[in-house]
Amino acid sequence: MDEELGGISEEYYDIPPVKYEYLDHTADVQLHAWGDSLKEAFEQCGMAMFGYMTELEYVQIKDVHTIEASSDDLMGLLYHFLDELLFLFSYEPFLICKKLVITEFNTQEFKIVCKCYGEEFVIGKHPQGTEVKAITYSAMQIIDDPKDNKYEVFVIIDI
Amino acid sequence: MDEELGGISEEYYDIPPVKYEYLDHTADVQLHAWGDSLKEAFEQCGMAMFGYMTELEYVQIKDVHTIEASSDDLMGLLYHFLDELLFLFSYEPFLICKKLVITEFNTQEFKIVCKCYGEEFVIGKHPQGTEVKAITYSAMQIIDDPKDNKYEVFVIIDI
């Protein structure tokens, strides 16, 4: 279907006006975290989220905050845990966490208390990664398999 | 819930190992194009797609190729039209189009013949935009309203 341009008149070089635009760009990324316990997998998942927002090697531990999350089931607990962490970053103290230590991990009453170590996000000091817009339940998976010593979580976040 | 770090022992500065990874990043963008006819809206939509792959001001008209697309309905026609254009870019001749002229636009038998003007994509000459992975039917809209002289299309492409 190729043709030569040789015989084509000048008008073909006219460029049409632009009558288009690009709308709403949406994207997501899936976090996959694991550990020697489900608790550790949750902690790692939270750190994965912060690691997406900046490069954690630039973050120092200068500050600690405690968050609590609760829900009616395990997936809800993971969701709210991450959502609380996102809140730490999105509002004062704008904390970027390099380390998370869950001090209470209650999978019967679905409650988490977590110490969050890091520092205030400072543009210039901390490379700007990708903004995390929301946690989602989409394709969420929690593998809690003590028999095979397998503890993993998969969470899709909107970016 | 703030705490001071003063009384916290050294072990709190230990950084945990990384036990997480980022999987499959997915994204999309919606193209919105319009014109004084549905034919022009289709042409503009194709140019919008190429405009996302590179900056069209760097593209010269050096070559012309003809594509054909057909389908069983109008949405299918738009889909296949864009897919043929994507194919032009993705395989030889790796054509980036700056101008599209639909020479046959049959909305009864759902057939398009289109002349595609542009040149071979050359890294270095043409800024690399975003790779278009696929056309989708997701939320596709075709507004074909001669009464109000309104011709618009909306197409989401995977990037």
Short mmCIF file of all heavy atoms in Angstrom, two decimals, chain B residues 14 19-20 32-34 46 50 56 70 75 78 90 104 106 112-113 125 131 140 150 155:
data_model
loop_
_atom_site.label_atom_id
_atom_site.label_comp_id
_atom_site.label_asym_id
_atom_site.label_seq_id
_atom_site.Cartn_x
_atom_site.Cartn_y
_atom_site.Cartn_z
N ASP B 14 17.63 1.25 62.99
CA ASP B 14 17.90 0.15 62.06
C ASP B 14 16.86 0.18 60.95
O ASP B 14 15.67 0.36 61.21
CB ASP B 14 17.81 -1.21 62.76
CG ASP B 14 18.92 -1.42 63.76
OD1 ASP B 14 19.89 -0.63 63.72
OD2 ASP B 14 18.80 -2.35 64.58
N LYS B 19 11.47 -6.06 51.38
CA LYS B 19 10.74 -7.26 51.00
C LYS B 19 9.49 -6.85 50.22
O LYS B 19 8.38 -7.19 50.60
CB LYS B 19 10.35 -8.06 52.25
CG LYS B 19 11.55 -8.56 53.04
CD LYS B 19 11.11 -9.40 54.23
CE LYS B 19 12.30 -9.92 55.01
NZ LYS B 19 11.88 -10.73 56.19
N TYR B 20 9.71 -6.06 49.23
CA TYR B 20 8.58 -5.67 48.39
C TYR B 20 9.06 -5.38 46.98
O TYR B 20 10.25 -5.21 46.73
CB TYR B 20 7.85 -4.44 48.97
CG TYR B 20 8.67 -3.20 49.16
CD1 TYR B 20 9.01 -2.38 48.10
CD2 TYR B 20 9.11 -2.83 50.43
CE1 TYR B 20 9.75 -1.21 48.28
CE2 TYR B 20 9.85 -1.68 50.61
CZ TYR B 20 10.17 -0.87 49.55
OH TYR B 20 10.91 0.27 49.73
N HIS B 32 -9.84 12.82 23.05
CA HIS B 32 -11.09 13.48 22.69
C HIS B 32 -10.80 14.29 21.43
O HIS B 32 -9.93 15.16 21.44
CB HIS B 32 -11.54 14.39 23.84
CG HIS B 32 -12.74 15.21 23.51
ND1 HIS B 32 -12.96 16.47 24.01
CD2 HIS B 32 -13.80 14.95 22.69
CE1 HIS B 32 -14.10 16.95 23.53
NE2 HIS B 32 -14.63 16.05 22.74
N ALA B 33 -11.52 13.98 20.37
CA ALA B 33 -11.28 14.68 19.10
C ALA B 33 -12.61 15.11 18.51
O ALA B 33 -13.65 14.50 18.77
CB ALA B 33 -10.52 13.78 18.14
N TRP B 34 -12.59 16.16 17.70
CA TRP B 34 -13.81 16.67 17.10
C TRP B 34 -13.52 17.24 15.71
O TRP B 34 -12.36 17.32 15.30
CB TRP B 34 -14.46 17.72 18.00
CG TRP B 34 -13.54 18.86 18.33
CD1 TRP B 34 -13.41 20.04 17.66
CD2 TRP B 34 -12.59 18.91 19.41
NE1 TRP B 34 -12.46 20.83 18.25
CE2 TRP B 34 -11.94 20.17 19.33
CE3 TRP B 34 -12.22 18.04 20.43
CZ2 TRP B 34 -10.93 20.56 20.22
CZ3 TRP B 34 -11.22 18.42 21.32
CH2 TRP B 34 -10.60 19.66 21.22
N GLY B 46 -7.01 10.08 15.17
CA GLY B 46 -5.78 9.40 14.77
C GLY B 46 -4.56 10.29 15.00
O GLY B 46 -3.53 9.85 15.51
N PHE B 50 -1.05 9.90 17.44
CA PHE B 50 0.35 10.11 17.04
C PHE B 50 0.97 11.25 17.86
O PHE B 50 2.15 11.21 18.19
CB PHE B 50 0.45 10.39 15.54
CG PHE B 50 0.28 9.16 14.70
CD1 PHE B 50 -0.86 8.97 13.94
CD2 PHE B 50 1.25 8.17 14.70
CE1 PHE B 50 -1.03 7.82 13.17
CE2 PHE B 50 1.09 7.01 13.94
CZ PHE B 50 -0.05 6.84 13.18
N LEU B 56 4.49 16.37 17.27
CA LEU B 56 4.27 16.35 15.83
C LEU B 56 4.98 17.47 15.08
O LEU B 56 5.21 17.37 13.88
CB LEU B 56 2.77 16.36 15.51
CG LEU B 56 2.00 15.09 15.92
CD1 LEU B 56 0.55 15.18 15.49
CD2 LEU B 56 2.65 13.84 15.34
N SER B 70 -12.14 -1.88 8.41
CA SER B 70 -13.56 -2.19 8.26
C SER B 70 -14.04 -2.89 9.52
O SER B 70 -13.24 -3.40 10.31
CB SER B 70 -13.80 -3.05 7.03
OG SER B 70 -13.07 -4.24 7.14
N MET B 75 -18.38 1.86 16.19
CA MET B 75 -17.32 1.81 17.21
C MET B 75 -16.20 0.87 16.78
O MET B 75 -15.02 1.17 16.96
CB MET B 75 -17.90 1.36 18.55
CG MET B 75 -18.74 2.46 19.20
SD MET B 75 -18.92 2.23 20.97
CE MET B 75 -19.98 3.61 21.35
N LEU B 78 -14.03 2.70 14.31
CA LEU B 78 -13.08 3.63 14.95
C LEU B 78 -11.92 2.85 15.57
O LEU B 78 -10.75 3.22 15.42
CB LEU B 78 -13.81 4.46 16.01
CG LEU B 78 -12.97 5.46 16.81
CD1 LEU B 78 -12.20 6.42 15.92
CD2 LEU B 78 -13.87 6.24 17.78
N SER B 90 4.02 0.68 14.61
CA SER B 90 4.65 -0.38 15.41
C SER B 90 5.49 -1.33 14.58
O SER B 90 6.36 -2.02 15.12
CB SER B 90 3.58 -1.17 16.16
OG SER B 90 2.76 -0.30 16.91
N GLU B 104 -12.13 7.50 1.88
CA GLU B 104 -13.41 6.79 1.82
C GLU B 104 -13.90 6.63 3.24
O GLU B 104 -13.18 6.09 4.09
CB GLU B 104 -13.25 5.43 1.13
CG GLU B 104 -14.58 4.70 1.00
CD GLU B 104 -14.44 3.31 0.36
OE1 GLU B 104 -13.43 3.05 -0.33
OE2 GLU B 104 -15.35 2.48 0.57
N ASN B 106 -17.20 5.26 4.81
CA ASN B 106 -18.49 4.62 4.56
C ASN B 106 -19.09 4.15 5.89
O ASN B 106 -18.63 3.16 6.47
CB ASN B 106 -18.27 3.44 3.60
CG ASN B 106 -19.59 2.84 3.17
OD1 ASN B 106 -20.57 2.87 3.92
ND2 ASN B 106 -19.62 2.29 1.97
N ILE B 112 -13.30 2.29 5.99
CA ILE B 112 -12.48 3.50 5.88
C ILE B 112 -11.27 3.21 5.00
O ILE B 112 -10.64 2.15 5.15
CB ILE B 112 -12.00 3.96 7.29
CG1 ILE B 112 -13.13 4.67 8.04
CG2 ILE B 112 -10.79 4.89 7.18
CD1 ILE B 112 -12.76 5.07 9.46
N VAL B 113 -10.95 4.14 4.12
CA VAL B 113 -9.65 4.15 3.46
C VAL B 113 -9.03 5.50 3.82
O VAL B 113 -9.70 6.54 3.77
CB VAL B 113 -9.79 4.01 1.93
CG1 VAL B 113 -8.41 4.08 1.26
CG2 VAL B 113 -10.49 2.70 1.57
N LYS B 125 15.76 12.36 16.28
CA LYS B 125 15.05 13.41 15.53
C LYS B 125 13.69 13.69 16.17
O LYS B 125 13.28 14.84 16.30
CB LYS B 125 14.86 12.98 14.08
CG LYS B 125 14.03 13.99 13.29
CD LYS B 125 13.97 13.70 11.80
CE LYS B 125 13.21 14.83 11.09
NZ LYS B 125 13.02 14.57 9.66
N GLU B 131 4.61 5.38 24.79
CA GLU B 131 4.24 4.23 23.96
C GLU B 131 2.75 3.95 24.09
O GLU B 131 2.23 3.86 25.19
CB GLU B 131 5.03 2.99 24.41
CG GLU B 131 4.83 1.79 23.51
CD GLU B 131 5.21 0.47 24.19
OE1 GLU B 131 5.59 0.49 25.39
OE2 GLU B 131 5.11 -0.55 23.53
N MET B 140 -15.82 4.11 25.14
CA MET B 140 -15.78 4.76 23.82
C MET B 140 -17.11 5.48 23.55
O MET B 140 -18.18 4.97 23.86
CB MET B 140 -15.53 3.71 22.73
CG MET B 140 -15.34 4.32 21.35
SD MET B 140 -15.18 3.05 20.06
CE MET B 140 -13.47 2.53 20.25
N LYS B 150 -22.43 18.55 15.49
CA LYS B 150 -21.54 18.11 16.58
C LYS B 150 -20.98 16.73 16.25
O LYS B 150 -21.75 15.76 16.12
CB LYS B 150 -22.37 18.03 17.87
CG LYS B 150 -21.68 18.63 19.08
CD LYS B 150 -22.55 18.59 20.31
CE LYS B 150 -21.76 18.22 21.53
NZ LYS B 150 -22.59 17.87 22.66
N VAL B 155 -11.92 8.14 22.95
CA VAL B 155 -11.32 6.80 22.93
C VAL B 155 -10.26 6.72 24.02
O VAL B 155 -9.42 7.62 24.13
CB VAL B 155 -10.63 6.50 21.58
CG1 VAL B 155 -10.05 5.09 21.57
CG2 VAL B 155 -11.60 6.68 20.42
#
